Amino acid sequence: MARGDSALEALGGRLAATRRLTLDLAAPLSDADATIQPHPDASPAKWHLAHTTWFFETFILRDHVPGYELYDESWPFLFNSYYEGEGERHARPRRGMLSRPTLDEVRGWRATVDEALQSALPNLPPETLKLVELGIQHEQQHQELFLTDILATFAENPLEPPYGLADISRDAAEPLGWIAGRSGLVEIGAGSGFAFDCERPRHQALLHPHRIASRCVTNGEWQEFTADGGYSTPALWLSEGWDWVQSEQVERPLYWHDDGTHFTLGGRREIDPAAPVAHISYYEADAFARWAGARLPTEAEWEDAFASSDPTIGHQLDRAGSVEPKPGGGPFGDVWQWTQSAFLPYPGFKPEAGTVGEYNGKFMCGQFVLKGASCATPRGHSRASYRNFFPPSARWQFTGVRLARDS
Ligand SMILES: [Fe+2]
């Protein structure tokens, strides 16, 4: 077999496995579960199934497979997320109003698109195969969003239905250590291999003397912060963060209740003090760091510290089911870690050509970078140069904090 054939076979295999995992994630859901939208930032599960299919149908099949006819000409309007180059689209906050197409109809679309993709693969030129890779990586991102959005959906229901069996760990928290970071000029950003456009080009960054925590902040440490009046001490908060705490009446991480329990994908559970805290905003992470006499790391500090750690090790998503941050993980897994770095273009940044150039670059305003991976990140998706990003008030993702200090 020629080298090109085995690479193509591997790509086809990863495409099939990725598409399969999304279906498996949706398997426990009713059409109603998959249709409702808990808040404007989250999307219905059915929408994720459809939108990832739209991405492949539009940017591969429609654009690069002669004679391909759209499965349904009216659906691209419903399932384009934010690509202005693809024209008008359904309003994001109203995605939960789409009772049609049904979940089964969306599954039918997926099957047709999957079949067309697999038969087109051998004839696609290398540039288009790169778009297939982008489609796989895109779908993996939506698998994580699928889980965080279904958590938000079930959290809205007073019956508190579990999405899956509880993923229980009884490990103790590791002792907190401080790793001496390098200082001086280092290089960050993606080298060879797949990376999103925003991770390039690789470039120099200047690090000042610092230390970075050996693990993330735990629920137990967060309970100390809460008991010490962390949420009612304005001096700990950024001005914008304090306004947010007041206006949203925030007293604890999202999904925490005042009786020592929290809502998880496995249903309502006791909070495990040894597990990494999750579902906190940038504002909360920053206030906690100030309370602890520390600060958030910069993205360059984080990336340099963990550039040689294996990004495939840790508590990440391996199969469909309930996930939860657990003690004992490494830098990749459990929770994405807020950095103090704004999501901005690297020196010499060039967006991808064409409409997919809207993927990252146009969001480089008002968002902060998170590093690592979470328990909902498909294993193999992340790497040290990965730049996840969210606005500072977002906390429905598995977001946590790893502290840093000047030294
Ligand atoms: Fe998307």
Side-chain angles (χ1 to χ4, degrees), residues 20 42 60 65 82 86 99 112 117 123 171 173 177 184 190 192 199 207 222 230 278 287 302-303 307 323 377:
R20 180 78 241 165
I60 313 286
V65 177
Y82 54 67
E86 288 297 322
S99 58
T112 300
L117 281 170
N123 303 315
D171 292 340
S192 57
E199 297 168 56
L207 301 187
W222 204 273
W302 195 104
E303 186 170 330
V323 293
T377 309

Side-chain angles (χ1 to χ4, degrees), residues 200-285:
R200 294 203 162 97
R202 195 162 166 82
H203 62 282
Q204 290 186 317
L206 178 62
L207 301 187
H208 297 279
H210 69 282
R211 287 173 183 272
I212 189 163
S214 60
R215 62 154 169 79
C216 291
V217 170
T218 63
N219 287 323
E221 289 163 342
W222 204 273
Q223 284 165 328
E224 288 174 37
F225 169 68
T226 305
D228 196 36
Y231 283 90
S232 53
T233 308
L236 295 174
W237 294 79
L238 294 165
S239 170
E240 206 176 289
W242 185 245
D243 288 348
W244 174 80
V245 163
Q246 305 279 71
S247 65
E248 304 292 319
Q249 301 186 318
V250 178
E251 295 178 349
R252 53 185 77 89
L254 186 64
Y255 306 131
W256 279 30
H257 292 261
D258 59 7
D259 62 354
T261 65
H262 61 158
F263 185 68
T264 72
L265 285 166
R268 182 86 84 93
R269 303 262 311 282
E270 292 281 319
I271 294 171
D272 176 359
V277 69
H279 305 298
I280 54 162
S281 67
Y282 174 88
Y283 301 132
E284 289 167 284

Side-chain angles (χ1 to χ4, degrees), residues 325-349:
K326 291 183 285 196
F332 296 92
D334 298 304
V335 290
W336 288 98
Q337 298 139 53
W338 286 106
T339 73
Q340 61 171 253
S341 301
F343 182 54
L344 291 173
Y346 282 164
F349 166 68

Side-chain angles (χ1 to χ4, degrees), residues 76-351:
F77 177 83
L78 302 178
F79 301 119
N80 172 9
S81 51
Y82 54 67
Y83 294 88
E84 299 290 346
E86 288 297 322
E88 296 286 306
R89 63 207 163 274
H90 188 59
R92 177 178 171 144
R94 303 189 64 78
R95 287 174 185 168
M97 300 299 169
L98 301 176
S99 58
R100 309 293 173 90
T102 65
L103 182 54
D104 273 346
E105 285 168 336
V106 169
R107 287 192 180 111
W109 186 23
R110 288 184 67 91
T112 300
V113 164
D114 286 348
E115 214 180 298
L117 281 170
Q118 291 292 348
S119 54
L121 272 185
N123 303 315
L124 295 177
E127 279 310 301
T128 311
L129 292 177
K130 281 188 191 168
L131 286 171
V132 174
E133 180 64 48
L134 183 66
I136 292 171
Q137 302 282 340
H138 171 253
E139 182 136 354
Q140 289 184 316
Q141 291 183 314
H142 278 277
Q143 288 166 346
E144 174 149 14
L145 292 168
F146 180 105
L147 285 167
T148 54
D149 293 356
I150 207 69
L151 174 59
T153 300
F154 284 165
E156 284 294 321
N157 190 328
L159 298 178
E160 299 187 319
Y163 164 74
L165 290 175
D167 188 15
I168 295 172
S169 156
R170 306 210 183 281
D171 292 340
E174 305 154 79
L176 176 63
W178 292 89
I179 304 162
R182 295 199 295 170
S183 50
L185 281 176
V186 300
E187 279 203 356
I188 63 164
S192 57
F194 177 85
F196 289 107
D197 53 6
C198 61
E199 297 168 56
R200 294 203 162 97
R202 195 162 166 82
H203 62 282
Q204 290 186 317
L206 178 62
L207 301 187
H208 297 279
H210 69 282
R211 287 173 183 272
I212 189 163
S214 60
R215 62 154 169 79
C216 291
V217 170
T218 63
N219 287 323
E221 289 163 342
W222 204 273
Q223 284 165 328
E224 288 174 37
F225 169 68
T226 305
D228 196 36
Y231 283 90
S232 53
T233 308
L236 295 174
W237 294 79
L238 294 165
S239 170
E240 206 176 289
W242 185 245
D243 288 348
W244 174 80
V245 163
Q246 305 279 71
S247 65
E248 304 292 319
Q249 301 186 318
V250 178
E251 295 178 349
R252 53 185 77 89
L254 186 64
Y255 306 131
W256 279 30
H257 292 261
D258 59 7
D259 62 354
T261 65
H262 61 158
F263 185 68
T264 72
L265 285 166
R268 182 86 84 93
R269 303 262 311 282
E270 292 281 319
I271 294 171
D272 176 359
V277 69
H279 305 298
I280 54 162
S281 67
Y282 174 88
Y283 301 132
E284 289 167 284
D286 179 81
F288 180 96
R290 195 162 293 112
W291 173 80
R295 62 171 172 77
L296 301 182
T298 66
E299 69 173 318
E301 287 169 347
W302 195 104
E303 186 170 330
D304 193 57
F306 301 114
S308 55
S309 301
D310 184 347
T312 66
I313 292 176
H315 302 141
Q316 300 179 49
L317 184 70
D318 287 311
R319 63 193 70 81
S322 174
V323 293
E324 198 175 334
K326 291 183 285 196
F332 296 92
D334 298 304
V335 290
W336 288 98
Q337 298 139 53
W338 286 106
T339 73
Q340 61 171 253
S341 301
F343 182 54
L344 291 173
Y346 282 164
F349 166 68
K350 280 196 193 69

